[in-house]
Amino acid sequence: MLALVMLINRAGSMVLPFLGVYMTNHLHFSIENSGIVLSFFGIGSVIGSWLGGMITDKIGEYRVQSLSLLFSVPLFCLIPLFTTEAGLAGIILAQSIVSETFRPANSVAITKYAKPENITRAFSLNRMAVNLGFSIGPALGGILSAISYEFLFYSNALAALLAGLMYIWFFKDRTKRAKQAAKKVKEAIAVKKESSPYRDGKFLIYSIFCMLFAICFFQLFSILTIFYKDTAHLSQQNIGYILAYSGILIVLLEMGFVQLAEKYFTLAFTMAIGTFLYGISYAMLAFDYSIVVLFLSMTILCIGEIWTLPFMSTITALRSGKNNKGAYMGLNGMSISIAFIITPYIGTLIAEKLGFDVLWIGTGVLGAAIAVGFYFIIPWMLKDKNKVEEEIV
C-alpha cells in the first residue's frame, strides 16, 4: 500500500522535469535565471528533509506523510499564478518544503513495515512505484504541456490529493495499533538513547558522497531536458517519451538487478559500479546525441540508478538505530537535496558559458571519482554492520 500511494502520487509528477522548459519557453527566462529558480526547489528540499526527519521522530511518519500530501495540493494550484523569477522562486520554495517532508517519513515507514532481511527489496519496490508513476507522468506531461502548462500543475495537485486520501484511509487504524504495541514495548524495556546523525563522522562523510552523486543524478530533472530541447532538438512529447522509457525500464529491471547485486556483489561494489555507469551515461552525450545514443545513454543511466539509490537508503537504515531513523533518513535526504540547489545553477551556468560537452564530460569524471569514494567509504562505515543489523532485528 505504501508503494501504491507512491505510484498515485508520482503519476502526477509532471512538473519537475518540465520546469526548466516551462521557464525558458513559456515564461522566457534565461537559462541561467531558470537555474537560479530551480535552485530554490533544492533549498526547500533541504529544509523539508531536515524538518521531515526531525518531526517524524517526534510525531510519527503517519502524520508527516498525511500532512505533506494534503498541504501540497493548494501549493501546486498556486504555481501558475506566479510568472516572475522572484514570485516563482518563492512558491517553488514553499511547495518544495511541504512536499519534501514526505521523503524521510516515507523511508521510516518502509523500515517499519518491511522485514529486516527484505529492506533493500522493500526500498526497490517503493522505487518501482516511483518509476512507474514517473513513466506515466512525464509522458502525459509532455502531451499536456503542448496544450497548456497549467494542466501540469493541476494534475500534480490532483495526484497528491488522491494519494493523501488513500494513505489516510488505509494506514489510520494500523498506525493506532502500532502506537499501542510500541507503548507496551516501552513499558517493558528501557529505550536506549541514541546519538544524533549530525555527530556521526563516518555517516557525514558518506552523506557528502551521496550529495555528490545527487549532483550528477538531478541533471536528469533539470538540465537534461533543456539539452534535449535546445541541442538535440526534441519535441516536448519526445522528451516525455524518453523519460517514460526510463521509468518503464527501471520497473522491468530493478527487482531482478537488485537481487542479482544482493546475491553476488558487496554493498560497496554495487554502489561503485552504479555510480560509475551513471557518470558514463552522461559523458557519452558529449560525443553524440543522435536518438539511438540518447536511448542508449538513458538505458545505462537507469542501470546505474538501480544499483545506487535503493542501496543508498539501505546503508542509511543499517547505520541508524531503532529510535533515530527519521533523523538519519532526514540527514541523508538533506545531503541529496542540497544537490537540488547546486545542480540547476552550476549546471546551467556551465552549459551556457562553456557548453554542454564540458558539462557532460565533467559529470563523467565526477561520477568516476564518487565511485572510488563509495568503494572505500562504505566498508569503513559499516565494518560493524553485523552488530547494527542485530540491533535492527
Side-chain angles (χ1 to χ4, degrees):
M1 284 303 297
L2 280 170
L4 182 58
V5 168
M6 183 65 76
L7 170 62
I8 295 171
N9 186 30
R10 293 305 174 185
S13 296
M14 310 170 192
V15 172
L16 188 57
F18 287 95
L19 267 180
V21 178
Y22 169 70
M23 288 186 285
T24 55
N25 282 15
H26 185 70
L27 299 180
H28 306 294
F29 295 175
S30 68
I31 294 179
E32 186 175 352
N33 286 343
S34 298
I36 294 172
V37 173
L38 285 170
S39 294
F40 277 84
F41 184 92
I43 296 172
S45 184
V46 171
I47 297 171
S49 294
W50 167 78
L51 184 64
M54 180 183 67
I55 62 178
T56 294
D57 287 333
K58 295 182 181 299
I59 67 174
E61 86 288 342
Y62 170 77
R63 289 181 181 177
V64 175
Q65 290 184 88
S66 302
L67 293 173
S68 174
L69 290 169
L70 295 181
F71 284 148
S72 292
V73 176
L75 291 172
F76 276 123
C77 294
L78 289 173
I79 291 176
L81 302 180
F82 295 85
T83 56
T84 65
E85 285 94 337
L88 193 58
I91 190 64
I92 286 175
L93 174 67
Q95 193 280 326
S96 178
I97 291 173
V98 172
S99 64
E100 290 302 304
T101 58
F102 180 85
R103 287 183 179 274
N106 181 255
S107 296
V108 170
I110 293 171
T111 63
K112 175 180 175 180
Y113 290 106
K115 296 178 180 179
E117 63 270 19
N118 290 336
I119 191 167
T120 300
R121 275 168 279 180
F123 280 114
S124 295
L125 177 63
N126 212 45
R127 271 181 34 78
M128 282 179 62
V130 171
N131 284 287
L132 184 57
F134 192 69
S135 68
I136 298 169
L140 184 59
I143 297 170
L144 293 177
S145 65
I147 304 171
S148 171
Y149 279 103
E150 282 75 9
F151 283 120
L152 298 179
F153 305 110
Y154 298 145
S155 297
N156 242 44
L158 178 62
L161 177 61
L162 292 175
L165 293 176
M166 176 169 285
Y167 178 78
I168 293 170
W169 168 74
F170 187 83
F171 284 98
K172 185 177 181 181
D173 292 337
R174 285 165 176 78
T175 301
K176 288 180 180 178
R177 292 197 293 270
K179 284 183 179 178
Q180 291 171 355
K183 185 178 179 181
K184 291 179 181 179
V185 171
K186 288 181 181 180
E187 290 173 351
I189 59 172
V191 178
K192 178 184 175 183
K193 186 176 181 180
E194 292 162 322
S195 62
S196 166
Y198 299 93
R199 293 194 292 270
D200 187 342
K202 292 181 179 180
F203 186 73
L204 288 172
I205 295 173
Y206 168 73
S207 294
I208 289 172
F209 274 84
C210 290
M211 179 196 70
L212 294 174
F213 170 80
I215 289 174
C216 301
F217 176 70
F218 286 129
Q219 291 183 90
L220 172 64
F221 300 108
S222 55
I223 302 163
L224 190 59
T225 52
I226 297 175
F227 171 78
Y228 284 161
K229 182 73 174 178
D230 294 347
T231 304
H233 304 297
L234 299 182
S235 66
Q236 288 162 219
Q237 290 93 331
N238 286 336
I239 294 173
Y241 294 148
I242 290 182
L243 295 177
Y245 165 77
S246 72
I248 293 171
L249 191 66
I250 289 175
V251 169
L252 293 175
L253 298 181
E254 178 150 353
M255 293 303 284
F257 272 60
V258 164
Q259 291 190 39
L260 179 69
E262 285 182 325
K263 187 174 181 180
Y264 296 107
F265 304 156
T266 63
L267 283 172
F269 181 79
T270 302
M271 291 283 286
I273 193 66
T275 305
F276 181 75
L277 289 175
Y278 214 88
I280 290 294
S281 70
Y282 281 112
M284 62 193 299
L285 296 177
F287 304 97
D288 189 7
Y289 45 84
S290 63
I291 192 66
V292 174
V293 172
L294 293 181
F295 274 96
L296 178 61
S297 170
M298 185 59 74
T299 302
I300 297 172
L301 184 149
C302 290
I303 296 172
E305 181 181 338
I306 288 169
W307 277 342
T308 307
L309 290 183
F311 294 92
M312 193 178 291
S313 299
T314 300
I315 291 167
T316 302
L318 289 174
R319 186 66 183 176
S320 66
K322 292 180 181 179
N323 308 306
N324 58 3
K325 279 185 170 56
Y328 266 85
M329 292 296 181
L331 175 55
N332 188 247
M334 284 175 61
S335 69
I336 294 172
S337 297
I338 288 171
F340 266 125
I341 304 173
I342 299 172
T343 304
Y345 179 69
I346 298 298
T348 52
L349 185 65
I350 293 173
E352 192 165 48
K353 302 298 183 183
L354 301 176
F356 279 107
D357 289 354
V358 173
L359 176 63
W360 301 143
I361 293 174
T363 301
V365 172
L366 179 60
I370 299 166
V372 174
F374 275 143
Y375 187 77
F376 290 102
I377 287 170
I378 292 170
W380 173 61
M381 185 180 69
L382 295 181
K383 62 183 179 180
D384 53 349
K385 176 184 173 184
N386 290 336
K387 180 181 176 181
V388 177
E389 284 179 331
E390 288 173 5
E391 290 179 358
I392 290 176
V393 173

